[in-house]
Amino acid sequence: MSVKVLIIDDDPDILIALTLILESQGYQVMTARDGLEGLGRVKMDVPDLMILDLMMPRMDGFAVCKELQKPEWTKYHHIPKLILTSVREEASRRRYELEMGVTLGVDSYMEKPVHPDVLLENVGRLLKSK
Amino acid sequence: MNNKFPEVKPDGFTPEEAAVTMRVRVFVNMRWFAILAIIFAAVIASTVFHIGFSPLPVYIICIFLAIYNAVLWRLTRNLTSEQTGFVVPRVKHYLYTNVFIDLTMLIVLIHYTGGIENPFIFLLILYVILAGIGLSHKTTYFIATGAFLMVGVMVTLEYTGLISHINLEGFMPPDQYKQASYIVAILVALAVLLYSSTYLTTAVSGELRKRQRQVVALSQQLLVEKETELDVSAKEIDKLEEEKKRFLSFLGMAAHDLKAPLAAIQGFLWLILTGYTGKISDKQRDMLDRSSRRINDLVNLISDLLDIPRIEAGQLVQEMKDVSLNELIKRCADDFSTVAKEKGLDLNVEVPETMAKIKGSDIRLRQVVTNLLSNALNYTLWGSVTIRATETELEQRVEVMDTGIGIPPQELPKLFYDFFRGSNVSVKGTGLGLAISKRIIEAHGGKIWAESPCPETNKGSKFIFTIPGKS
């Protein structure tokens, strides 16, 4: 069975590029345009990995992570997350770390644009450490 | 007075209440003294000067005065527990009552000790002076007039024989009180002295009280003014804080929106370049490579430009946590090991195994170290690049030394200016790297500067920055 990756990003071009990269490696890719749609996708079909944009309309990446920490989402806690951001802003990372009570590894926080090789490397590492 | 609210006294009185109560207390103390003085005078008069008069009424009056004074003393002591607002009228009531009783007692005492014959009749003046210090000038004139009228009534009653006159035997001739010229002289002198001392004391104390009121009013006005000023400043600070927040969020949005399309373009270019979309010719690859690099430069320039106001707005403080400089430097140097190897340069990392943690922004300090290492490697064609960290109790110090082209001495002071690029460099850059590094280091309370040639090797250049220790 192929590995399922859910990409949540509001930029359709990013979705196209990432999908192309991941599908070329045999991953099964699902996409969502914002946090709410993404959560719906998670319920429908549990992904093995989530790639999340931070700044999105309706529900941003922070909100998705917070929502997933709630008890009713317990069975989805284990899903590894890769944060993608287009802003070089340490403050947002600190905010994430403080609010989630976790320290983000280098693998799970990337700044756009992401080189295909780097992306695949990080995705592979996250799935292995799962 | 450095008390913030000068109108509140320790015992909870307003200045007016405190002043009024204080006056009653002074009167009570003076009265004890007066009682003792009267007894003393009576004893001396009868024993030393053998003046013939009956001392019994004097002692009775003194005992009465003592009892009444003790009662008054108790009353004023209990005032502290009174409710605010009741103190002033009550104390004024005490004052008027005891002035009346005092004057009556004094007149009765004088009657029993010779009436008009007694020179102590002039003690009334002392009483008026005391009243003038403590009371309003209207009240004082009223008291002076009352005292004079009482004396007049007493003298008239004695003169007409309606009450018996007591002669001070051996001190005054027995019929002195019937001598009109003497009586008139004494009364005129008494009146003149009473009114002139009333005028003098009320003028002086009235002026003093006016000043006191002015001082209180002025200090209260100042307090109100200062409070208004503080209010205005606080509002301004809030407004500035609000504007800063809006500005930063605007910058965040701008950074996001400027970079999003570039990130998409770069993503597609990389896809093509890495062969995800099929084979491309070498010419195509070259063009796309150049495009990709230019996009990269643009992304970096936008990041740099947006970084400056963020750092200047103090955003860094929010990012600060405990940082180990030695680990940070090692990580950065690792990223450059491939580049150094490709250029055939030695990259030496001389950092202690352990270093005290400092409060800093990990990503920003990494930006500085990366910038310094990248510059050193870019501008060095052969030789070595060395990064070294040392620490003292006060500060931690990082040095980056190279054997490169160095910096012309006249350009050293301009090195950290925005958009400044060396005249002897051909390598591309935004000219903002060092300017941003300087802002980052200064936001950490540190210093950054450059020396060229490097003093140790007499070649290339040396960049140094310091960060203060945590304590």
Side-chain angles (χ1 to χ4, degrees), chain B residues 122 125 144 148 185-198:
Chain B
F122 289 101
I125 290 149
F148 185 72
I186 293 287
L187 286 183
V188 168
L190 187 66
V192 168
L193 283 170
L194 274 176
Y195 284 109
S196 57
S197 31
T198 304

Side-chain angles (χ1 to χ4, degrees), chain A residues 77-96:
Chain A
H77 277 183
H78 65 278
I79 307 172
K81 293 172 206 74
L82 175 59
I83 308 289
L84 261 189
T85 170
S86 50
V87 189
R88 182 206 293 168
E89 198 183 342
E90 180 70 353
S92 69
R93 184 194 182 122
R94 281 291 290 152
R95 194 184 129 204
Y96 180 91

Side-chain angles (χ1 to χ4, degrees), chain A residues 10-14 16-18 20-22 24-25 53 55-56 86-94 97-98 103 106 109 111-117 120, chain B residues 252-253 255-256 259-264 266-268 270-271 274 276-277 295-296 299-300 303-304 307 310 315 318-321 331 361-364 366-367:
Chain A
D10 61 319
D11 188 333
D13 288 335
I14 297 285
I16 290 172
L18 294 181
L20 190 66
I21 298 167
L22 292 170
S24 78
Q25 300 302 309
D53 186 20
M55 272 171 125
M56 283 185 294
S86 50
V87 189
R88 182 206 293 168
E89 198 183 342
E90 180 70 353
S92 69
R93 184 194 182 122
R94 281 291 290 152
E97 290 185 344
L98 288 174
T103 312
V106 192
Y109 191 91
E111 196 186 322
K112 290 183 208 170
V114 186
H115 195 274
D117 298 347
L120 289 173
Chain B
M253 289 306 292
H256 181 268
K259 279 160 113 188
L262 294 173
Q266 185 72 294
F268 288 134
W270 277 338
L271 273 181
T274 39
Y276 282 91
T277 55
I295 294 280
N296 204 38
V299 169
N300 285 338
S303 298
D304 283 355
D307 270 353
R310 274 219 208 107
Q315 185 87 340
Q318 289 175 30
E319 301 174 5
M320 290 195 181
K321 50 184 181 183
R331 250 186 297 145
S361 160
D362 181 71
I363 203 167
R364 296 295 177 189
R366 219 157 49 201
Q367 200 178 337

Side-chain angles (χ1 to χ4, degrees), chain B residues 33-58:
Chain B
F33 182 72
I35 292 166
L36 289 177
I38 291 166
I39 294 169
F40 184 70
V43 170
I44 294 289
S46 54
T47 56
V48 179
F49 296 104
H50 303 291
I51 297 169
F53 70 99
S54 159
L56 190 63
V58 176

Side-chain angles (χ1 to χ4, degrees), chain B residues 74-101:
Chain B
R74 285 281 312 178
L75 286 175
T76 52
R77 255 180 50 125
N78 289 342
L79 271 175
T80 334
S81 51
E82 288 279 336
Q83 251 187 318
T84 340
F86 286 100
V87 174
V88 172
R90 174 155 296 193
V91 172
K92 281 203 169 146
H93 184 70
Y94 291 162
L95 262 178
Y96 297 139
T97 314
N98 71 47
V99 163
F100 178 75
I101 294 174

Side-chain angles (χ1 to χ4, degrees), chain B residues 152-442:
Chain B
V153 167
M154 180 197 75
V155 170
T156 314
L157 288 178
E158 285 183 11
Y159 185 79
T160 53
L162 283 173
I163 54 171
S164 61
H165 172 71
I166 289 151
N167 177 239
L168 297 173
E169 283 166 42
F171 182 68
M172 279 280 175
D175 56 351
Q176 188 78 21
Y177 76 104
K178 288 263 185 196
Q179 197 185 325
S181 61
Y182 173 77
I183 294 169
V184 170
I186 293 287
L187 286 183
V188 168
L190 187 66
V192 168
L193 283 170
L194 274 176
Y195 284 109
S196 57
S197 31
T198 304
Y199 173 73
L200 279 174
T201 47
T202 52
V204 171
S205 66
E207 184 66 21
L208 276 176
R209 252 174 287 155
K210 206 168 95 194
R211 291 271 164 82
Q212 196 188 10
R213 271 198 298 274
Q214 279 173 344
V215 167
V216 169
L218 205 67
S219 65
Q220 246 150 16
Q221 188 192 334
L222 278 175
L223 200 76
V224 170
E225 273 172 24
K226 283 275 170 260
E227 272 171 5
T228 336
E229 269 173 40
L230 267 178
D231 245 26
V232 170
S233 311
K235 272 193 199 118
E236 268 169 23
I237 289 171
D238 283 351
K239 220 171 89 192
L240 282 176
E241 211 48 57
E242 188 58 40
E243 267 170 30
K244 191 172 118 182
K245 236 188 238 162
R246 229 177 315 156
F247 177 58
L248 284 175
S249 101
F250 166 78
L251 281 179
M253 289 306 292
H256 181 268
D257 291 356
L258 282 170
K259 279 160 113 188
L262 294 173
I265 296 170
Q266 185 72 294
F268 288 134
L269 287 174
W270 277 338
L271 273 181
I272 301 168
L273 281 165
T274 39
Y276 282 91
T277 55
K279 260 191 144 1
I280 48 169
S281 73
D282 286 349
K283 266 217 176 101
Q284 285 169 328
R285 171 175 303 280
D286 181 49
M287 296 294 143
L288 290 173
D289 236 353
R290 285 172 192 276
S291 309
S292 167
R293 253 179 278 142
R294 295 309 290 266
I295 294 280
N296 204 38
D297 289 347
L298 191 51
V299 169
N300 285 338
L301 179 62
I302 291 168
S303 298
D304 283 355
L305 282 176
L306 293 171
D307 270 353
I308 291 173
R310 274 219 208 107
I311 296 166
E312 286 188 346
Q315 185 87 340
L316 250 65
V317 180
Q318 289 175 30
E319 301 174 5
M320 290 195 181
K321 50 184 181 183
D322 286 346
V323 177
S324 307
L325 264 185
N326 53 332
E327 280 165 27
L328 185 146
I329 289 168
K330 269 189 239 164
R331 250 186 297 145
C332 287
D334 275 350
D335 293 342
F336 282 101
S337 57
T338 334
V339 184
K341 216 176 269 169
E342 276 169 11
K343 284 193 80 173
L345 298 170
D346 288 332
L347 179 56
N348 308 315
V349 183
E350 300 174 7
V351 293
E353 271 309 303
T354 52
M355 264 175 112
K357 292 201 168 178
I358 52 157
K359 261 265 171 286
S361 160
D362 181 71
I363 203 167
R364 296 295 177 189
L365 289 174
R366 219 157 49 201
Q367 200 178 337
V368 175
V369 173
T370 303
N371 179 246
L372 294 181
L373 281 175
S374 150
N375 284 347
L377 289 165
N378 269 337
Y379 304 131
T380 304
L381 296 177
W382 53 79
S384 65
V385 170
T386 305
I387 182 160
R388 180 186 296 156
T390 50
E391 68 175 326
T392 65
E393 257 177 46
L394 287 177
E395 58 176 28
Q396 303 199 348
R397 185 185 174 100
V398 177
E399 301 168 330
V400 178
M401 292 163 280
D402 63 50
T403 56
I405 55 176
I407 303 150
Q410 72 274 13
E411 286 179 7
L412 269 176
K414 291 184 257 174
L415 213 52
F416 295 92
Y417 286 6
D418 291 340
F419 299 108
F420 177 79
R421 305 203 57 241
S423 58
N424 58 342
V425 301
S426 51
V427 191
K428 280 218 170 309
T430 58
L432 286 172
L434 285 176
I436 290 171
S437 293
K438 184 176 158 75
R439 286 181 172 89
I440 292 171
I441 296 301
E442 281 171 0

